[in-house]
Amino acid sequence: MDKHYWAFLNLQQPLYWKGFCSKDRNEGIYDVEHIVSKHGYILDFHMFSDLEINLKIEIAEKNLAPLFHELSLVLDLQDTGTAFPETDLERSLFINITFTKSTGELKIEVPSIPG
């Protein structure tokens, strides 16, 4: 059998965007989450202390341009050189966001357990 059939193979290469946020980390994450939820779906995220967050987003290609425009109001997005086709094809988009007011020393308060 010369040809292989992969059931969920997405031949489209994922997109990578880089942004910088000058807002407070929690406020910036809330704003980005709100914007992304209007255009696509956040599938996964990874926090790197309070310095950065990486989002994996699934989005239709026709929603890339509006997403980029709205995120540009919250983030300083680097020009990606991404073409914005008007198709319904689903794409994976990775956005790496760096918080400029971060310290690199994320501390999470854990309440004491009574008893």
Side-chain angles (χ1 to χ4, degrees):
M1 181 177 214
D2 293 334
K3 295 186 179 184
H4 299 282
Y5 177 75
W6 299 92
F8 298 103
L9 180 62
N10 183 356
L11 297 177
Q12 298 290 330
Q13 292 293 322
L15 302 171
Y16 297 93
W17 293 355
K18 174 74 177 163
F20 296 91
C21 183
S22 60
K23 293 184 174 189
D24 173 68
R25 177 178 54 90
N26 292 322
E27 183 182 346
I29 290 172
Y30 176 81
D31 291 346
V32 168
E33 178 186 17
H34 180 71
I35 292 168
V36 170
S37 67
K38 291 192 295 186
H39 302 287
Y41 303 97
I42 297 175
L43 300 179
D44 195 11
F45 71 93
H46 294 281
M47 287 289 303
F48 302 100
S49 184
D50 64 339
L51 295 172
E52 291 186 337
I53 186 169
N54 186 285
L55 304 174
K56 180 181 181 182
I57 298 167
E58 184 176 280
I59 186 168
E61 286 184 332
K62 66 182 179 184
N63 293 335
L64 287 169
L67 177 66
F68 188 85
H69 172 71
E70 287 187 43
L71 284 177
S72 295
L73 301 175
V74 176
L75 304 174
D76 178 19
L77 282 176
Q78 293 181 345
D79 183 13
T80 60
T82 303
F84 298 118
E86 292 292 323
T87 69
D88 287 329
L89 290 175
E90 294 290 322
R91 294 290 294 266
S92 292
L93 168 66
F94 292 92
I95 301 177
N96 189 310
I97 302 169
T98 300
F99 301 99
T100 58
K101 294 182 179 178
S102 59
T103 63
E105 299 177 15
L106 179 64
K107 295 181 182 176
I108 300 173
E109 297 292 327
V110 178
S112 59
I113 300 173

